[in-house]
Amino acid sequence: MTIALLLVVLTPMLAVAAESNVQQSPRATVSLVSEYAAVSPGQQLRIGLRQRLAPHWHTYWKNPGDAGSPPSIAFEAPDGAAVGEIAWPGPDRFIIGPVASYGYENEIVFPMALTVPRDARPGSQLVLEADADWVVCEKECIPEEGKFRLSLPVEASARPASAEVLAAFKNADARQPQPSPWRASVSVGEATLQLAVEGEGIAPASVQSALYFPDSWGIVDHVADQVLTVEEGRLSLATTKGQGYTPGPSAGLLAITDGGGQKRWFALELTPAAANPAPATEAPATLPLWQMALFAFLGGLILNLMPCVFPVLAIKATAVAGMSGGDRREVRLSGLFYTLGVLAAFMALAMALLAVRAGGTAVGWGFQFQSPLFVAAMSWLMLAIGLNLSGVFEVGGALAGAGQGLAERKGHAGSFFTGLLAVVVATPCTAPFMGAAIGSALVAPAYVSLVVFATMGLGLALPFLLLGIFPAVARRLPRPGAWMVTLRQAMAFPMYATAAWLLWVLAQQAGEAGLRMALAGLVLVGLVAWLVGLGQHGARKRWWPRGAAAAGVAGIAGLMVMLHGAEPQAAAAPAQSTQAEPYSAGRLAFLRAEGKPVFVNMTAAWCITCLVNERTTLSTAAVQEAMREHDVVYMKGDWTNRDPAITAFLQSFQRDGLPFYAFYPAGKEPVVLPPVLTQAIVTESFKQ
């Protein structure tokens, strides 16, 4: 009776041996525990680092996400004893502001396998000493550490730990990842990842939510939304690629919450979709060809009225004036050659876009204006055209042998060049209907893209082409005379204005150093134009102007080489955009998760329509007041220089050009606004 009573009293005390000394702080109570209070020789069991956390505090998984650090533990064990690696339980995700972490709240045990030496003698003690460190976070993160000593009696038969310790292990066991019974693959975009998991047991009724946890840091953008789609036998998660992503297979966990609210974790090995034997998925949905062509034609036609094309209207005006009094054949040929120039430029642009995309790079409409070299060259070209219109020099046989000049009546080569230039100058902006047409065309087969771009070119060329088809309209202009010279000289000033605007764009891209080189190029262009004109206007010794002009051209070529190597800089934000916060996919996902309405403005310094919309609509008191009234967060993405995140955002809407505006009502799907804004359009969208 006395012995039985003694055992009853001592058993709880013996069970305490299953736990080490405790390291305690206001945030966490940490100890080393064993699932057996006494062990036997050669036995295999589990020990674990046990953390009991204060409310709202969390600790970390092996991949901590954007912040934090996983627990680390180092053991000193007797000879013959072996301690394995941590068998990491499945984590949860914690989003705090713009960052996300992977880890655990409340209580967690990090299990490790322990092998007892075979020669351990019953009656002795198996002593484990460990140094451990960990990080716990709420709104702030605090590193902690501790030294632990776990002493386990060696007995002939093992004895389980207390119910409390076993319950802690049981909770960790419920989180242990299971081998996945499904096929898993990942499709990689420029800035996106599409995870696909296929197999039996996947259905809308059995998958309430899902979240992917990569084993390695940076595979995904940790804070970004993971958009779930479930159908019979298949689920997919669309998310944003992380900055640490590298091509190839990657391991991780898929946490699935079933229809009953139970969460389970499955170990996945993602293989690239191209290497996966699973059947290929269908291509992204696009518009029908007839609809793409119609939208492209209408967009090209409306493009004639967009601010981006205003500079080339000066050249058109002089060309139309040159038709005055012309015979029908010449007028028709002029319109035809202009149309051919437009079509040639659109075909070259389409093939360039397709070639770059075939190489795996995502680009969009107007991509060439993201190059400081191209912008500088365009500013020099605009200045040269302006000087030509002002009469400083003539484009004739002495210069290039390429025709009669841009504004002369029989300048068919000039008409062709004007068509080319119209397209180049038009590309910084998109007109209504163009966005959907271009976006659909660039994911369709190559021949479809070429058809759509050709149709767009016909739309842009149509007004000038109609003058050729109906030359009677041109014959109604005043007869040739001195007014034509005055008009031509006046039309030089839009070209000078365009050159100045392009210099401003370049300053946003390449900074002061790039601007200095571009200004030097402008001086050389002016010098070369003057020297060419001097030679054309009767200089006695024509060889020296020509030689000096050749030296100036060589200097321009040298500046182009220097600009090609210039590093793009972050574009400076215009003054009126001070209330906008920079676009970030993670920040957008966080705001949407909080139920905030968000207005996204994708712009660039080289997009004239973008700047016009900002000054006439987005920066007005009425629109700013509407944003405050409806608590709308204004986000702005700057595409002046190439930005893969903005490219991916545009492509998610099947768009490839600017301007682009999207409004995300709270809890609803985004609404795409037209490229030409009014105050009424914007404020009405906020009322949704």
Side-chain angles (χ1 to χ4, degrees):
M1 180 68 179
T2 304
I3 296 175
L5 181 61
L6 186 62
L7 288 174
V8 169
V9 173
L10 291 178
T11 297
M13 298 178 62
L14 292 172
V16 173
E19 187 166 11
S20 72
N21 58 299
V22 172
Q23 179 73 34
Q24 192 164 14
S25 73
R27 300 160 295 275
T29 300
V30 183
S31 60
L32 195 61
V33 294
S34 167
E35 62 181 347
Y36 284 86
V39 298
S40 60
Q43 181 187 359
Q44 291 188 341
L45 66 151
R46 291 185 303 170
I47 59 174
L49 186 68
R50 183 186 186 188
Q51 295 185 342
R52 286 164 283 183
L53 304 169
H56 311 300
W57 289 82
H58 60 267
T59 188
Y60 291 96
W61 187 49
K62 61 181 177 180
N63 172 13
D66 291 320
S69 177
S72 173
I73 186 166
F75 286 93
E76 287 187 14
D79 292 341
V83 180
E85 299 292 328
I86 294 175
W88 295 93
D92 295 316
R93 182 170 71 161
F94 307 103
I95 297 178
I96 301 175
V99 300
S101 300
Y102 304 146
Y104 318 89
E105 285 184 318
N106 302 320
E107 181 178 358
I108 190 67
V109 171
F110 298 98
M112 294 159 278
L114 169 65
T115 302
V116 180
R118 292 185 178 276
D119 58 357
R121 290 179 291 105
S124 64
Q125 297 283 322
L126 176 66
V127 178
L128 297 174
E129 294 184 345
D131 290 333
D133 59 72
W134 58 92
V135 175
V136 289
C137 294
E138 189 197 23
K139 293 180 181 177
E140 59 180 344
C141 291
I142 299 177
E144 297 184 345
E145 61 182 3
K147 292 181 177 294
F148 303 99
R149 189 175 192 273
L150 177 63
S151 182
L152 299 173
V154 180
E155 299 178 358
S157 298
R159 180 161 33 87
S162 67
E164 179 195 4
V165 172
L166 292 178
F169 274 101
K170 185 177 180 181
N171 289 336
D173 290 342
R175 287 179 167 269
Q176 280 300 317
Q178 308 170 25
S180 171
W182 307 304
R183 300 184 304 273
S185 64
V186 59
S187 300
V188 184
E190 176 68 20
T192 59
L193 294 177
Q194 184 87 20
L195 283 65
V197 181
E198 299 175 299
E200 295 183 4
I202 298 175
S206 62
V207 179
Q208 184 182 100
S209 65
L211 196 65
Y212 178 67
F213 297 88
D215 279 2
S216 302
W217 181 89
I219 298 296
V220 301
D221 185 335
H222 306 119
V223 79
D225 280 348
Q226 295 188 15
V227 181
L228 173 66
T229 304
V230 185
E231 55 191 28
E232 289 294 333
R234 188 178 191 274
L235 70 81
S236 65
L237 284 172
T239 190
T240 305
K241 185 193 299 182
Q243 57 182 319
Y245 178 81
T246 55
S250 58
L253 302 181
L254 180 67
I256 291 181
T257 303
D258 61 23
Q262 181 183 359
K263 181 183 286 188
R264 293 180 295 168
W265 289 260
F266 297 90
L268 292 178
E269 181 76 20
L270 292 177
T271 57
N276 197 2
T281 57
E282 295 181 1
T286 61
L287 297 173
L289 178 57
W290 69 268
Q291 193 172 354
M292 280 191 277
L294 176 62
F295 282 3
F297 179 80
L298 292 174
L301 184 61
I302 298 173
L303 200 58
N304 285 281
L305 305 176
M306 300 296 287
C308 301
V309 191
F310 284 171
V312 86
L313 292 179
I315 301 176
K316 288 187 181 182
T318 57
V320 171
M323 292 182 180
S324 173
D327 61 49
R328 292 188 177 185
R329 180 175 180 275
E330 294 301 327
V331 173
R332 284 173 176 163
L333 285 175
S334 182
L336 176 62
F337 274 90
Y338 172 80
T339 303
L340 290 176
V342 170
L343 292 176
F346 266 102
M347 290 298 96
L349 184 59
M351 289 187 285
L353 285 169
L354 292 172
V356 172
R357 293 209 167 183
T361 302
V363 293
W365 176 258
F367 72 98
Q368 68 273 21
F369 276 87
Q370 295 172 335
S371 164
L373 172 60
F374 180 84
V375 173
M378 283 295 299
S379 71
W380 299 339
L381 177 61
M382 292 297 116
L383 175 63
I385 293 173
L387 293 173
N388 170 254
L389 293 172
S390 295
V392 174
F393 72 100
E394 299 296 329
V395 179
L399 179 64
Q404 296 293 319
L406 287 175
E408 294 186 2
R409 181 165 56 88
K410 295 184 180 181
H412 301 321
S415 296
F416 183 85
F417 173 81
T418 303
L420 289 174
L421 191 61
V423 176
V424 173
V425 177
T427 51
C429 297
T430 57
F433 302 105
M434 278 181 60
I438 295 174
S440 296
L442 289 177
V443 298
Y447 77 91
V448 173
S449 300
L450 295 176
V451 170
V452 170
F453 273 74
T455 311
M456 197 182 312
L458 287 175
L460 179 62
L462 183 62
F464 203 65
L465 181 62
L466 289 176
L467 288 175
I469 297 174
F470 303 104
V473 176
R475 290 204 304 273
R476 293 182 182 273
L477 295 172
R479 303 300 297 175
W483 69 272
M484 293 178 60
V485 177
T486 303
L487 175 65
R488 169 176 168 163
Q489 292 174 349
M491 290 299 101
F493 290 94
M495 312 312 293
Y496 298 145
T498 303
W501 163 66
L502 288 167
L503 284 177
W504 175 78
V505 172
L506 183 69
Q508 313 303 304
Q509 293 177 314
E512 184 180 346
L515 182 61
R516 284 198 302 267
M517 288 185 278
L519 288 171
L522 286 177
V523 173
L524 289 176
V525 168
L527 176 64
V528 170
W530 175 72
L531 290 170
V532 170
L534 193 66
Q536 290 174 336
H537 295 140
R540 291 185 178 180
K541 296 181 179 180
R542 295 190 176 185
W543 59 269
W544 76 265
R546 293 177 180 176
V553 171
I556 293 172
L559 288 172
M560 294 179 73
V561 173
M562 295 170 66
L563 277 166
H564 180 68
E567 289 291 332
Q569 297 186 359
Q576 67 267 23
S577 68
T578 53
Q579 296 186 16
E581 60 176 270
Y583 167 77
S584 160
R587 175 65 174 159
L588 176 59
F590 174 73
L591 290 170
R592 293 191 68 193
E594 283 203 330
K596 292 277 191 181
V598 184
F599 179 80
V600 179
N601 168 20
M602 292 301 179
T603 183
W606 41 260
C607 172
I608 300 179
T609 306
C610 301
L611 303 180
V612 170
N613 283 336
E614 289 186 25
R615 292 186 180 276
T616 62
T617 301
L618 297 178
S619 62
T620 61
V623 171
Q624 294 295 315
E625 178 59 31
M627 287 186 180
R628 287 190 291 270
E629 179 184 347
H630 296 280
D631 197 24
V632 175
V633 179
Y634 181 21
M635 300 190 77
K636 187 172 180 179
D638 191 340
W639 213 30
T640 301
N641 295 315
R642 185 170 180 269
D643 187 330
I646 295 178
T647 304
F649 177 85
L650 293 172
Q651 289 181 338
S652 69
F653 290 90
Q654 290 200 343
R655 294 293 192 273
D656 286 81
L658 300 179
F660 182 80
Y661 309 100
F663 175 59
Y664 291 81
K668 298 181 181 178
E669 292 300 312
V671 178
V672 176
L673 277 62
V676 179
L677 296 179
T678 64
Q679 293 182 27
I681 290 174
V682 178
T683 55
E684 285 298 319
S685 70
F686 294 162
K687 296 178 182 179
Q688 298 187 36

